[in-house]
Amino acid sequence: MTHPILGLHHVTATVNDAQADLDFCLDLLGMRLVKKTVNFDNHDVYHFYYGTERGVPGTIWTTFPYKGYGVRVGAKGTGQVVTTSFSVPAGSLDFWRRRFADRGVLSKDVATRFGEEALHIEDPSGLWFELIASDSDTRSPWTGNGVEATHAIRGLHSVTLAVRALKPTLDVMTGVLGYRVVNEAENRTRVSVGGDGAGHSMDIVVTPDGGAGINGLGTVHHVAMAIATDEQQRWLRAELLQMGLHVTEVRDRCYFQSIYFREPGGVLFEVATMQPGFTADEDLADLGRGLKLPPWEEQYRPSIEANLATIRYR
């Protein structure tokens, strides 16, 4: 079987306050809330999925807001995704600079990398984001939260992994996962799969003496790659196990099936299927409006709803 990874699927982070997270992603960045559910490992914590209209894989950013549950503030470092980058249209960065300034959000220009201009911002939990200008991203944006199509986020552009050594991570990514090196700088290597445009790349940054990342508030929990079918996922799982990596069983996430493993540099990877998608339990027009629970949690709905944080959004 040929390498089945299609590109990025989603990125998931641990954040602090649920309302602040919604305000940042919906009102500031203009994304759509495509699913409001719960953390399948802790049903008293929300799991928010943000993206474009349908939440197509490759556009999805997701968060666990853990305020009030004693979760420590994390530390960015090696063995983590340290930056999540979104794709915006070429020529739109001035719009975003003004928007951030008007709303009291500090933004900084990023030194041009691989011919791409970018802005850096942080969210209320301290997560690092970049908006990268692209003239070749043809994905349709979500414009329902007040950002016009000429400026709106198209989806994920890439993520930046921090590791202490390049070769072990690169060997896995270019081996069984099928990535290829498409660009290199002093301590940064860009790898892509399924194409080299936005939504298909990861940057590997090497910091040999960097401290280890600590999971917690304000850190990325994992990055997920997309795969087409359950059969391909099972095949890939077997290949990863044969390489000596520790891979979870297939887990039912309701909107996709997932496996998880840590690559040699310590970053937690997920491989998620493309189907069934977020319209499995809601009509397209209603995505994100109701609290959707997995079938095994429905019996606990009254207590779950009572324990979840009170939130508001349009």
Side-chain angles (χ1 to χ4, degrees):
M1 185 179 288
T2 57
H3 298 296
I5 298 296
L6 302 173
L8 295 174
H9 191 285
H10 67 267
V11 182
T12 294
T14 306
V15 299
N16 188 13
D17 183 69
Q19 187 62 57
D21 187 63
L22 287 163
D23 292 345
F24 179 84
C25 292
L26 302 182
D27 298 338
L28 181 65
L29 296 184
M31 293 190 285
R32 185 183 193 188
L33 181 65
V34 295
K35 193 62 59 180
K36 179 175 63 174
T37 183
V38 294
N39 184 334
F40 286 9
D41 298 316
N42 182 349
H43 66 202
D44 291 327
V45 173
Y46 283 114
H47 191 178
F48 297 143
Y49 289 82
Y50 305 97
T52 52
E53 182 180 21
R54 289 183 173 273
V56 174
T59 73
I60 306 164
W61 165 254
T62 100
T63 59
F64 301 129
Y66 259 96
K67 182 179 180 180
Y69 284 91
V71 176
R72 64 185 174 183
V73 175
K76 298 174 186 66
T78 58
Q80 278 184 347
V81 171
V82 293
T83 304
T84 303
S85 300
F86 294 112
S87 173
V88 297
S92 70
L93 291 185
D94 282 344
F95 164 85
W96 288 104
R97 289 187 188 96
R98 292 192 300 271
R99 185 175 180 86
F100 295 145
D102 290 347
R103 302 186 183 210
V105 175
L106 178 66
S107 67
K108 298 184 292 184
D109 287 356
V110 176
T112 301
R113 295 191 303 262
F114 308 138
E116 298 170 322
E117 294 182 291
L119 285 180
H120 169 94
I121 60 170
E122 295 185 19
D123 83 339
S125 297
L127 286 156
W128 292 350
F129 294 95
E130 291 176 351
L131 301 186
I132 298 181
S134 172
D135 60 4
S136 59
D137 192 342
T138 59
R139 293 175 293 181
S140 297
W142 172 249
T143 57
N145 283 337
V147 179
E148 296 180 356
T150 50
H151 311 305
I153 288 171
R154 265 48 182 175
L156 295 170
H157 178 282
S158 55
V159 295
T160 301
L161 320 178
V163 297
R164 287 180 176 156
L166 176 62
K167 188 177 186 304
T169 296
L170 194 61
D171 285 350
V172 169
M173 297 193 73
T174 59
V176 67
L177 297 179
Y179 282 80
R180 60 189 178 88
V181 175
V182 296
N183 235 318
E184 295 177 276
E186 183 177 357
N187 68 334
R188 180 181 295 261
T189 301
R190 176 165 293 179
V191 295
S192 296
V193 69
D196 57 8
H200 293 273
S201 299
M202 298 193 200
D203 285 4
I204 307 168
V205 171
V206 178
T207 55
D209 300 319
I214 300 171
N215 188 41
L217 303 179
T219 62
V220 170
H221 186 266
H222 64 267
V223 56
M225 295 162 279
I227 199 165
T229 68
D230 296 353
E231 179 186 7
Q232 290 178 338
Q233 186 183 65
R234 290 192 297 270
W235 174 87
L236 180 60
R237 181 177 184 273
E239 291 290 303
L240 292 166
L241 288 169
Q242 192 171 26
M243 292 181 70
L245 296 172
H246 298 284
V247 190
T248 66
E249 73 283 1
V250 176
R251 296 180 180 175
D252 180 8
R253 299 312 193 193
C254 290
Y255 312 109
F256 42 85
Q257 303 291 313
S258 297
I259 57 173
Y260 300 82
F261 64 98
R262 290 194 184 274
E263 54 80 31
V267 180
L268 183 59
F269 281 174
E270 176 183 351
V271 178
T273 58
M274 296 288 286
Q275 299 297 331
F278 294 109
T279 55
D281 58 1
E282 285 181 298
D283 292 337
L284 181 61
D286 295 330
L287 290 181
R289 292 185 179 177
L291 176 66
K292 310 308 292 185
L293 298 178
W296 57 90
E297 296 283 16
E298 278 294 346
Q299 61 183 315
Y300 307 113
R301 179 176 284 274
S303 63
I304 289 172
E305 291 181 340
N307 289 330
L308 288 170
T310 300
I311 56 174
R312 65 189 184 280
Y313 56 96
R314 291 178 295 175

